[in-house]
Amino acid sequence: MKLEGIHHITCITGDAPRNLDFYTRVLGLRLVKKTVNQDDPTVYHLFYADEQGNPGSDLTFFEYPGADPGRAGGGMVHRITFRVKNEDAITFWEKRLAAEEIYPVRAPGSLIFDDPEGLNLELAVVETQDEPLIAEHPEIPHYWAIEGFDSVRAYAYDPDKSRALLEQALDFQPRADAEWEVRGDERGSFYRYDPAPAWAARPGAGTVHHVAWATQMDEHEAWRERVAEAGAHPTPVIDRFWFRSVYFREPSGVLFELATIGPGFATDEDPEHLGEQLVLPPNFEHLRSRIEPVLTPLPNPRETWTRK
Ligand code: ZN
């Protein structure tokens, strides 16, 4: 039984229209699901991913309109790293971001910048056999596109506190000091700690809410049991309709989720038209007339694309 790397990463935005513009128009991800936070259905839950909405590429945001900016501190993920193919891709992105008045820090094989709300992102050249997870975008050739997640970095006061849960219950493989590989049969990712900063953690806009690791469909319940036996107090299995979820906090304070690889985003939408309409899971559909008026209308990011 192996976790298949990062399934999705969920963050907070205070400004859904600007967030949508940045992740779809600038970074070229596809909006694959426009729905609401199932724990607070008055706010958006937006999912950006590759063309098919595959686990491993799926960056999601809860929108709390006007939320105060947060700041990652101890027990929070502070950087999300995506893969790109090569140094030419880094050059492409450096120029593309500069055109948006974003000036990244460039190092060999790495480009680091913040999204419009201060969420720290990295594009990294990574040697891997994993399938690239790419979205279509008229201005971004496939060979320069973002190819899915590589890793997350979190701040931890004492990484050793997490070691037993990570290595024994979750089978994270240690690769270096405070670095683990989470690799299954299909793909993998890395989890890394940095020393916690002096300032207090402040959740809010531009911060990561949780990171979800991917499980095979039939192994989800067994993973939950392993986490429970290790003393980490997982939630019951929650049916999120497009996948099933279990949540728990790992000992360094980072909120983890275990999410099933399926059923996936195309179960209730035509794959050609993912993300164009507000989609509610069946047990939320009765709330639609109350939900729709309170959500900021968002455009279909692809409606201005010239038809091929
Ligand atoms: Zn999640």
Side-chain angles (χ1 to χ4, degrees):
M1 202 165 78
K2 298 269 182 206
L3 295 172
E4 299 282 338
I6 295 171
H7 182 289
H8 65 269
I9 301 168
T10 294
C11 313
I12 296 170
T13 175
D15 184 344
R18 185 170 64 167
N19 182 266
L20 178 77
D21 177 70
F22 182 74
Y23 285 96
T24 60
R25 181 183 61 80
V26 180
L27 292 192
L29 304 181
R30 183 179 187 191
L31 178 66
V32 294
K33 194 63 66 180
K34 180 163 66 174
T35 184
V36 293
N37 180 347
Q38 294 181 22
D39 298 318
D40 180 358
T42 62
V43 303
Y44 273 125
H45 194 182
L46 304 175
F47 293 74
Y48 308 115
D50 71 345
E51 198 63 20
Q52 289 78 33
N54 279 309
S57 68
D58 188 3
L59 182 65
T60 95
F61 286 85
F62 298 138
E63 187 211 23
Y64 290 93
D68 288 335
R71 191 178 197 189
M76 290 173 72
V77 170
H78 69 89
R79 178 176 297 161
I80 297 168
T81 301
F82 294 96
R83 295 173 182 160
V84 292
K85 211 173 285 314
N86 54 33
E87 206 63 42
D88 287 348
I90 298 280
T91 301
F92 169 83
W93 285 104
E94 188 178 32
K95 286 186 195 152
R96 185 168 176 84
L97 291 164
E100 301 290 324
E101 300 187 347
I102 296 170
Y103 300 99
V105 175
R106 182 170 182 172
S110 163
L111 199 64
I112 295 172
F113 54 98
D114 287 348
D115 89 348
E117 292 174 284
L119 180 65
N120 192 238
L121 305 174
E122 179 182 27
L123 306 182
V125 179
V126 175
E127 290 261 339
T128 180
Q129 302 298 314
D130 293 356
E131 183 195 348
L133 303 177
I134 292 172
E136 303 291 338
H137 188 292
E139 298 170 0
I140 304 170
H142 273 202
Y143 44 88
W144 289 332
I146 287 173
E147 298 187 340
F149 295 125
D150 178 65
S151 57
V152 289
R153 304 189 77 98
Y155 286 133
Y157 293 102
D158 182 3
D160 281 335
K161 277 204 315 196
S162 296
R163 190 175 298 279
L165 181 79
L166 300 185
E167 295 181 11
Q168 287 157 32
L170 298 175
D171 202 25
F172 283 24
Q173 298 294 317
R175 291 289 182 251
D177 189 33
E179 175 183 308
W180 292 265
E181 187 170 14
V182 186
R183 174 157 293 282
D185 295 331
E186 293 162 41
R187 55 193 304 116
S189 317
F190 287 84
Y191 185 60
R192 298 184 175 99
Y193 288 123
D194 294 303
W199 57 79
R202 197 174 64 220
T207 66
V208 173
H209 188 270
H210 63 266
V211 55
W213 306 95
T215 83
Q216 299 292 352
M217 296 298 289
D218 55 353
E219 296 173 349
H220 194 236
E221 187 64 50
W223 281 111
R224 186 190 174 280
E225 280 164 27
R226 268 165 78 155
V227 168
E229 281 162 17
H233 307 293
T235 63
V237 173
I238 301 170
D239 185 355
R240 297 302 192 191
F241 190 69
W242 303 290
F243 47 86
R244 292 193 296 276
S245 300
V246 161
Y247 304 84
F248 55 96
R249 227 168 258 286
E250 56 95 342
S252 289
V254 179
L255 184 58
F256 273 14
E257 175 182 346
L258 300 176
T260 53
I261 283 174
F265 294 119
T267 48
D268 57 351
E269 278 188 292
D270 175 357
E272 293 286 309
H273 296 281
L274 294 177
E276 294 176 11
Q277 308 292 329
L278 179 71
V279 174
L280 302 174
N283 52 338
F284 287 78
E285 194 55 56
H286 68 285
L287 298 171
R288 181 177 288 273
S289 61
R290 278 189 278 163
I291 289 171
E292 277 187 322
V294 300
L295 295 173
T296 320
L298 290 175
N300 167 10
R302 294 185 167 186
E303 74 195 347
T304 55
W305 288 15
T306 25
R307 297 211 171 269
K308 285 172 200 155

